[in-house]
């Protein structure tokens, strides 16, 4: 488990998280975290915008439910989770859109919200026919800190990634 995944898992464990909504998941992503959460007894659900990805993860162990849809509509799920994690995701939407949707995301999380993104410019286009894999925002830790998030970076670990998070009392 790399340091950024360990950070997420340890944050979930230390806050007694029992239910997680993971934003965005494909056939080869987040397996280590998914297995760790499942083995720790957490209920793990996924919201994924790209239907082929929804279909490719349907038989993954530990996934209780898959919502094939846009995180912009998170309130339509109609329930809250202890944690919502969007790992390597905010860079896939325009910053202005993120600023509009973050309140809804955070309103649906009872304990923890964690965002992770690459630090700075990190070019990535469409992959395997999925336009949503394109990076459309260049983000940095300071942008999130200026909004009041706690942050943690993994730049010294050669991962070029940071986390921004909210932990509720």
């Amino acid at each position: 488990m790399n340091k950024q995944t360990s950070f997420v898992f340890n944050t979930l464990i230390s806050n007694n998280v029992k239910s997680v909504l993971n934003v965005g998941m494909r056939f080869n992503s987040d397996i280590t975290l998914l297995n760790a959460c499942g083995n720790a007894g957490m209920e793990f659900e996924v919201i994924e915008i790209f239907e082929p990805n929804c279909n490719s993860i349907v038989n993954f162990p530990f996934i209780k439910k898959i919502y094939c849809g846009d995180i912009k509509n998170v309130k339509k799920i109609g329930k809250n989770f202890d944690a919502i994690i969007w790992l390597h995701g905010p860079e896939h939407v325009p910053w202005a859109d993120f600023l509009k949707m973050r309140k809804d995301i955070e309103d649906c999380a009872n304990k923890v919200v964690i965002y992770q993104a690459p630090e700075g410019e990190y070019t990535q286009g469409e992959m395997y026919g999925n336009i949503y894999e394109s990076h459309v925002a260049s983000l940095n830790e300071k942008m999130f800190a200026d909004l009041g998030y706690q942050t943690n970076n993994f730049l010294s670990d050669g991962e070029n990634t940071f986390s921004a998070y909210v932990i509720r009392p």
Side-chain angles (χ1 to χ4, degrees):
M1 187 179 296
N2 66 25
K3 288 186 180 184
Q4 60 184 325
T5 303
S6 292
F7 169 78
V8 173
F9 180 69
N10 291 333
T11 301
L12 299 176
I13 289 292
S14 66
N15 287 281
N16 198 32
V17 166
K18 300 294 182 203
S19 61
V20 178
L21 178 65
N22 186 79
V23 182
M25 187 172 213
R26 64 179 186 249
F27 56 91
N28 64 350
S29 69
D30 306 315
I31 301 299
T32 303
L33 182 62
L34 171 64
N35 289 335
C37 289
N39 287 324
M42 294 179 210
E43 289 187 353
F44 204 87
E45 300 185 23
V46 174
I47 184 165
E48 166 59 50
I49 195 167
F50 190 59
E51 189 170 352
N53 284 355
C54 295
N55 297 334
S56 75
I57 64 171
V58 74
N59 292 318
F60 276 21
F62 302 119
I63 295 179
K64 179 181 176 187
K65 186 162 186 174
I66 301 166
Y67 306 93
C68 200
D70 193 330
I71 188 58
K72 291 177 187 175
N73 302 315
V74 68
K75 291 250 183 180
K76 291 183 180 179
I77 291 174
K79 70 186 237 186
N80 278 23
F81 300 86
D82 285 347
I84 298 179
I85 58 175
W86 196 1
L87 312 179
H88 289 272
E91 71 275 13
H92 296 272
V93 298
W95 181 244
D97 289 359
F98 172 80
L99 293 174
K100 290 177 193 170
M101 73 176 84
R102 72 186 182 105
K103 181 177 180 345
D104 284 348
I105 293 168
E106 292 162 24
D107 285 349
C108 291
N110 297 326
K111 296 181 179 182
V112 176
V113 177
I114 303 173
Y115 305 107
Q116 281 185 344
E119 176 79 23
E121 185 74 27
Y122 194 88
T123 304
Q124 179 175 296
E126 178 181 314
M127 297 170 62
Y128 60 91
N130 182 352
I131 61 169
Y132 302 107
E133 287 289 350
S134 298
H135 289 184
V136 298
S138 179
L139 306 176
N140 63 63
E141 188 176 354
K142 184 178 182 319
M143 294 166 77
F144 286 82
D146 287 350
L147 294 172
Y149 292 100
Q150 296 178 66
T151 61
N152 189 2
N153 74 59
F154 305 95
L155 305 179
S156 64
D157 302 320
E159 296 185 32
N160 194 39
T161 304
F162 69 92
S163 292
Y165 57 99
V166 174
I167 298 175
R168 300 181 193 254

